[in-house]
Amino acid sequence: MALLIGTLCTGAVSMARDEMKNTDITKYYLYLNVRDQVLTAYEKDDNGEYTRIVRRMLCSTGAELTPTPTGTYKISGKERFGKFAHFNGEYARYWTQVVRGIYIHSIGFGGRDVERLLRTPFSNIGKRVSHGCIRLYVEDAKWVYYNVCPGSSITIGSDTPLLSKEEKKSLKTPLDYAAYKAYQATITDDEQELADRHAWVVYDGAQLRTGNGSNDEFIRKLKEGEEMRVLQEGDPWVKVDIDGREGYVKRIYITYEKGVIETYENGRATKTTTEIYAEPSVKAEVLCRMPRDTSLNILETDPEEGWYKIRYWDIEGFIRIRKTRVDTSMFPYDEDAQLSAYAARMGVDSSGTLLVGSAAAADEALLRSEVKQDDLLDAGFAG
């Protein structure tokens, strides 16, 4: 492989407005068993394997029509007490981003007020009822928030041993709603939040949306130079407050340094949810998955074989070149055109039907899996 000149560089970010109790991205590994509705945090044993159970947490994951996506992802942005931009007036504490609109967070609240815990999400803990997010008791969401830092790995699946009824029952709080409501209101933070970062729009027409997906509800277009308060950092989407309205904007359309554009025209980003392989082969071990539109840090390129070697957090691995695109940061962004082009590249029409003779037609099962996964992650904000 040859060195690639002119890779995309967006710079390091803290991804949180709090000081983390742990900043080692290899210290904890999360495994979510959607069959048991249990999230487990592991530490490494003496052999360097994640076998030591640190904490087990009962949760609620996605309902049948809005399932929580499976795979291995990297933890990203954090927010201490956030609003669901897609759902009027609902909030949750201790948000930890898994991928795009899928978060680990507490059961819901009727406002940014610890006295307004909602009864139904509390009663449904342990059931598949969410819009895709992973709901936890407040104390568990707080533990994940402060200890599982950005860059840590989480795997979502169902292949760990089945828990006994007694083990699962032991994870459920013995408190009824009234008692738990009073208890969780006493859960506080040791320190004040860090000062908000501010950012500025660098492209006219950048879109503010209710979630971090191109299919989420459009709020309004932004003007070059507009200033915003950053609520949750991330890539490819950032949650912001601009003129009192909360929403999401793509990372490539803002800058943390006023007047400075932080991306390059010849940079690249993922065009679908993308697997990172340990070797340049689809038969190699899958190390992780990157969401669509994630900026790439490309180390080497082999166009003849169709692979990039990349770095993603602490991982060095390989992705297929055909799963990437030129970053749109340096030219106007047309949402409809981008979606149409994406569908054409993937070999489907607007209804999801395979196009005869498309490059992807020979790999129908993989194609449908990729499109379904991206549709799931773009379906709207997952609460």
Side-chain angles (χ1 to χ4, degrees), residues 221-246:
K221 289 186 176 182
L222 304 175
K223 297 179 180 179
E224 182 180 354
E226 281 194 90
E227 185 175 359
M228 62 194 70
R229 183 165 58 95
V230 178
L231 304 177
Q232 184 187 115
E233 298 176 32
D235 181 6
W237 294 83
V238 178
K239 187 179 181 184
V240 301
D241 181 305
I242 184 164
D243 297 330
R245 182 64 165 93
E246 294 185 13

Side-chain angles (χ1 to χ4, degrees), residues 252 340 342:
I252 58 176
S340 296
Y342 168 68

Side-chain angles (χ1 to χ4, degrees), residues 81-84 87-93 106-119 121 177 181 184:
F81 204 150
K83 181 180 182 180
F84 294 94
F87 305 126
N88 292 330
E90 292 191 18
Y91 294 74
R93 299 177 69 182
S106 77
I107 48 185
F109 290 77
R112 193 174 273 121
D113 182 348
V114 296
E115 301 295 337
R116 299 184 64 184
L117 182 76
L118 297 174
R119 181 186 294 270
Y177 168 72
K181 181 181 178 182
Q184 64 80 33

